[in-house]
Amino acid sequence: MSQGGLHAEDIDTSKPHPARIYDYLLGGKDNYEVDQRAGDELAAAAPEVRIGVRANREFMLRAVRHVTGAGVRQILDIGTGLPTSPNVHEIAKETVPDARVAYVDNDPIVNTHAEALLHRVGGTSSVLADLRDPRGVVDHPEVRRVIDFDEPVALFLVAVVHFLTDAEQPERIVATLRDALPTGSFLVLSHATSDFADRSDAQAVYNQATATLNLRSRARVERFFDGFELVDPGLTQVPFWRPEGTPSERSGEIGIYGGVARKLD
């Protein structure tokens, strides 16, 4: 299988990939030994990482329910990672049966799994593209087939922007995506931080991966929401964004901020 000129032999399994590390930490099976070693090193350096990735995923699913409950019928999920059930489209369609979801990731393995999963699911697409080229994402024909940018869109950037270096101008990238969205759209974003503990050792694990981890402060993460209005409770650690129960012990240690915001004009 190929898309965009990439073939199976182009898949790099010599280095850990963030999506596959994340899958391993969630207990998934779609990863390699190199990803497992990196995940174990990450957990040794940051003992809260496993509860953190679960809390991040639960935040994402609550955010899906929020945006669909607010009337949004389209989701553009960039940096989707390997499919884990329930998926974004499954949660969205519980509230909006005709919801449309475009999944975007730069890992051919993710894309292959997503295409197989979505083969018989209407109103969805799986796109091999890179957040570093935001116009390429927005203009991709498979994104345009599913997403109508004349109607409100929920843009999901969950645990992906922290893989952009400052040199790659992440604020510009997010602003380019924001400017493609009409009024009434949403941004759902989560981002790793070292505000609660020194996580330089965890950060170093990603120096051997296909993307580095770039931890940012709350003030820096808030800048990604420029042009949007954060909904209550604002930017919080992910377990505390509209929890559906009592957050688990050690939730206060989780170094991931999350927020949901609406574009008003």
Side-chain angles (χ1 to χ4, degrees):
M1 175 177 290
S2 67
Q3 182 176 332
L6 287 172
H7 300 265
E9 59 266 24
D10 296 315
I11 298 171
D12 184 2
T13 59
S14 66
K15 293 182 178 181
H17 188 283
R20 301 194 302 263
I21 296 172
Y22 192 83
D23 176 73
Y24 171 66
L25 292 171
L26 281 173
K29 304 296 184 184
D30 297 315
N31 48 74
Y32 295 91
E33 184 177 349
V34 67
D35 308 304
Q36 296 161 16
R37 287 198 302 268
D40 290 341
E41 290 173 11
L42 191 60
E48 78 285 358
V49 69
R50 283 192 167 89
I51 62 169
V53 296
R54 289 194 295 271
N56 182 69
R57 178 164 179 78
E58 290 161 3
F59 156 75
M60 179 185 72
L61 298 179
R62 294 195 302 274
V64 172
R65 295 186 183 101
H66 176 80
V67 299
T68 55
V72 173
R73 311 174 77 84
Q74 309 181 103
I75 295 175
L76 175 58
D77 182 1
I78 304 177
T80 179
L82 285 150
T84 301
S85 186
N87 297 286
V88 168
H89 69 278
E90 292 171 329
I91 297 297
K93 287 176 180 291
E94 289 176 0
T95 306
V96 183
D98 61 346
R100 301 190 300 278
V101 180
Y103 293 104
V104 179
D105 203 282
N106 70 348
D107 183 356
I109 294 177
V110 169
N111 182 253
T112 298
H113 279 269
E115 284 186 337
L117 176 72
L118 301 173
H119 179 61
R120 298 178 181 274
V121 180
T124 62
S125 67
S126 175
V127 177
L128 186 62
D130 200 308
L131 176 60
R132 294 171 181 83
D133 178 16
R135 281 305 328 172
V137 171
V138 170
D139 294 334
H140 195 289
E142 275 298 295
V143 170
R144 291 281 176 170
R145 180 178 66 82
V146 172
I147 303 296
D148 177 359
F149 286 95
D150 291 327
E151 300 292 335
V153 178
L155 170 64
F156 276 62
L157 297 173
V158 175
V160 64
V161 175
H162 51 227
F163 294 116
L164 298 175
T165 66
D166 285 347
E168 290 168 324
Q169 299 181 291
E171 288 90 353
R172 176 191 60 80
I173 289 171
V174 176
T176 299
L177 293 167
R178 177 200 66 209
D179 292 346
L181 303 177
T183 299
S185 294
F186 283 87
L187 170 63
V188 176
L189 182 145
S190 66
H191 194 295
T193 184
S194 59
D195 281 359
F196 306 101
D198 179 3
R199 288 294 174 251
S200 53
D201 288 346
Q203 197 171 12
V205 173
Y206 285 91
N207 291 340
Q208 307 303 317
T210 58
T212 60
L213 179 64
N214 303 275
L215 303 173
R216 296 185 173 97
S217 68
R218 177 191 175 94
R220 283 293 307 277
V221 176
E222 283 182 330
R223 284 162 54 180
F224 295 121
F225 292 94
D226 286 352
F228 295 88
E229 182 176 81
L230 282 158
V231 304
D232 289 337
L235 185 65
T236 68
Q237 289 165 276
V238 287
F240 304 116
W241 192 90
R242 302 195 178 193
E244 294 173 348
T246 303
S248 64
E249 291 184 20
R250 299 181 60 199
S251 289
E253 301 173 29
I254 293 173
I256 307 174
Y257 286 121
V260 177
R262 190 162 195 166
K263 185 176 180 182
L264 299 181
D265 54 37

